[in-house]
Amino acid sequence: MLDALEGTERPPSVSELADAIGVDQPRASRLVQAAVEAGHARREVDPVDARRSAIVLTAAGRKLLADARGTRRDAVVTALAEFTPEERAELARLLSRFVAAWPRD
């Protein structure tokens, strides 16, 4: 959810966030509430439409994302340490093919 928040041009509503992460609106609302309580996101009034609540990533949320990405990056480096350059190239080719074939709605 935090990745989806960071990847938006403007802060999304709960419904827009639900669509972005592929869950229903009640589940997205619970996820947002948990993120707000943890200090990783906050609700703001949309400056364009005051009836709309926008969900904004906080500095703490950005730090959590950066830390998680660092952890994932380190895990990939460790996992690939014993791969030969040819094996890494083949993995990259196959992953690219996999991503290209991934269904998008």
Side-chain angles (χ1 to χ4, degrees), residues 59-82:
R62 287 185 201 289
K63 181 172 181 346
L64 180 68
L65 277 174
D67 291 349
R69 287 179 182 140
T71 299
R72 288 190 303 248
R73 188 177 313 105
D74 292 347
V76 169
V77 167
T78 299
L80 293 176
E82 299 296 320

Side-chain angles (χ1 to χ4, degrees), residues 11 33-34 48-49 56-57 62 68 72 100:
Q33 186 58 38
V48 176
D49 182 352
V56 178
L57 192 61
R62 287 185 201 289
R72 288 190 303 248

Side-chain angles (χ1 to χ4, degrees), residues 25-43:
Q25 195 276 337
R27 175 71 178 145
S29 185
R30 289 190 299 275
L31 290 169
V32 166
Q33 186 58 38
V36 168
E37 289 172 3
H40 301 136
R42 69 177 178 275
R43 295 176 187 267

